[in-house]
Amino acid sequence: MRRTIAILTGATAAALVVPVLVAAGPASARSAGNARGTQNTQNTQDARGTAGAATDPVSALKRHFRPHRGVRISENTKIIGRGGKQRTILTRRDGVLEFGTFGPVASDLTTKFTMPTENGELKGLFAPSRTISLKGVTYTSGGAYADAMPEGKKWLRTRGESVTLVGPVQQIISIVEPATLKATLARTAAKRPGGTWDDTRTTVHSGTITLAELYRASPAIRTMLGRKPTGPSATLPVTWKIYLGSDRLVRRVVSSYTESTRGLNSTELTYVNDTRYTGWGMRSALTAPPADQVADFDELNIGADQAAQAQNPVRELFEN
C-alpha cells in the first residue's frame, strides 16, 4: 500500500507514471515565446556577469551553484499513444530550481495536465498540483490525493526523497547535473544557430544519447529507474537538442524517446519534452509550507481500490 502511494506522489502528479523505461524500444518538438519582468531581466544580467569568464557549459553551470540562487524552468511535455489508442496527454510544469554549493537543493514546481476527453475516472489522478521539495522532504498540494486529505490540511508530506528533477513525463536530460550535461554534449552530432532565447543568441547542439549512457551520468535517471537498464532498453535512443547562450548557459532543451511494451496489451508511447531555462542566478529562498497545513500518509483517507487503480494511470489510459 505505502509502495503504491509512494509512486503517486514525489514530484507531483507528473511522477504518476511507473517507470517503464526498463523495457523499451526505439523513437520530435514545439516552440513558444517568453516574457518576464524587470526583476528577471536584472537577474539574467547578474547571471551573465557571473558566468562571463566561463569557457564551457559545465563550468558556466557550476558557477551558478551558490546558496539561494536558482533558475526558472518552464516545461511542456507531450505523451503520444501509438497504434489503437491515438491519444495525446499534454503536461506543463513551471517553477523554480534553487541551488546550493554543489547543485540543486530545492524546487517549487506546479504541474498541469490536458487530458483526452474520454479519460473518465482517471481524470482525478491528473489534477493540477504544486510540489515543494527541500531538505529531503517533498510537500505536494493538489493532485491525486487532494480529496483524501484530512480537514484543514493542504499539503501531503513524503520524507527521504532528494529533489526530484526527472520523472517519466518530465525532461529526461537534466542539464542542471554537470555530469549529465557533459555526457550529453559529448554526443553532439551537429551545431547550428538556435535563435534568441532568454534575451541571448544561442547555438543549438543536437544528437542522440542512449538510456544506458544517461544512466551512467545522471543521478536523477538512476533514481527514476531504480536499476540499470539492460537488453533493448539499454540502447534506447533519446534524441535531443540543447540551446546554449553566448554565456554558455543552457536556455532550452528538447528531447524525445519512444518506449514500448509487448504483451496482451502492447503499448507504444512517445514522450516529447521542451524545457526553457530563464533568469539564471535569480534569488531564491524556498521554505516549507506552514506545519499546521501538512499531513502524512497515515492521515490520508485512502481506499485500497483507489490505490490499486492508480498503479500506472498513463498506460491504463492508452490501453483501455
Side-chain angles (χ1 to χ4, degrees):
M1 175 68 164
R2 295 183 70 86
R3 169 62 180 161
T4 300
I5 297 173
I7 290 172
L8 290 169
T9 53
T12 77
L16 281 166
V17 191
V18 178
V20 192
L21 285 170
V22 224
S28 191
R30 168 188 168 199
S31 68
N34 60 321
R36 84 207 127 270
T38 304
Q39 182 60 52
N40 280 348
T41 300
Q42 183 61 54
N43 286 333
T44 301
Q45 292 171 347
D46 291 344
R48 288 171 185 162
T50 302
T55 58
D56 67 274
V58 173
S59 296
L61 172 64
K62 288 181 175 180
R63 286 173 182 268
H64 285 77
F65 289 168
R66 295 185 291 158
H68 303 302
R69 296 283 181 167
V71 64
R72 188 172 299 280
I73 71 169
S74 178
E75 290 185 350
N76 290 288
T77 302
K78 290 191 294 186
I79 310 173
I80 307 165
R82 304 296 186 188
K85 296 294 183 180
Q86 295 275 350
R87 299 172 173 175
T88 299
I89 299 174
L90 303 176
T91 77
R92 181 177 179 86
R93 194 171 70 134
D94 297 279
V96 173
L97 300 181
E98 184 176 308
F99 300 129
T101 305
F102 300 105
V105 295
S107 62
D108 185 347
L109 303 167
T110 299
T111 302
K112 297 180 180 180
F113 292 85
T114 301
M115 304 291 293
T117 55
E118 65 270 33
N119 61 74
E121 61 185 7
L122 288 176
K123 184 175 180 179
L125 295 174
F126 297 93
S129 63
R130 178 185 174 191
T131 297
I132 298 173
S133 297
L134 69 167
K135 297 181 179 179
V137 182
T138 296
Y139 305 88
T140 303
S141 177
Y145 290 105
D147 293 339
M149 296 293 288
E151 184 177 355
K153 306 290 186 177
K154 298 181 179 179
W155 297 87
L156 175 62
R157 173 170 51 199
T158 56
R159 300 180 183 275
E161 297 290 337
S162 58
V163 179
T164 305
L165 300 177
V166 176
V169 295
Q170 300 166 18
Q171 181 57 259
I172 194 170
I173 298 176
S174 180
I175 60 85
V176 292
E177 297 175 335
T180 304
L181 179 59
K182 180 178 181 180
T184 305
L185 288 174
R187 304 293 294 172
T188 297
K191 290 189 283 187
R192 60 177 176 78
T196 299
W197 299 93
D198 193 29
D199 295 334
T200 184
R201 289 188 177 278
T202 65
T203 299
V204 57
H205 297 234
S206 59
T208 302
I209 188 169
T210 67
L211 186 61
E213 290 171 322
L214 279 175
Y215 183 89
R216 286 194 295 269
S218 173
I221 292 295
R222 291 194 290 272
T223 297
M224 184 181 86
L225 295 183
R227 57 192 173 96
K228 183 178 180 180
T230 59
S233 66
T235 57
L236 172 74
V238 178
T239 60
W240 56 268
K241 296 178 182 178
I242 294 179
Y243 293 68
L244 293 175
S246 55
D247 53 8
R248 312 302 287 160
L249 290 168
V250 176
R251 293 315 200 283
R252 184 184 180 195
V253 179
V254 179
S255 66
S256 67
Y257 63 92
T258 297
E259 62 170 23
S260 61
T261 59
R262 295 290 177 260
L264 184 61
N265 291 316
S266 295
T267 307
E268 186 174 88
L269 300 179
T270 295
Y271 298 79
V272 182
N273 185 287
D274 189 343
T275 308
R276 319 295 171 84
Y277 298 85
T278 60
W280 284 98
M282 64 178 289
R283 294 186 181 278
S284 177
L286 299 180
T287 58
D292 61 357
Q293 296 181 14
V294 174
D296 293 309
F297 280 133
D298 54 9
E299 300 177 67
L300 298 183
N301 303 308
I302 302 174
D305 55 340
Q306 176 187 1
Q309 174 199 47
Q311 283 280 1
N312 196 338
V314 166
R315 194 159 294 282
E316 182 178 339
L317 177 63
F318 284 102
E319 290 178 347
N320 295 333

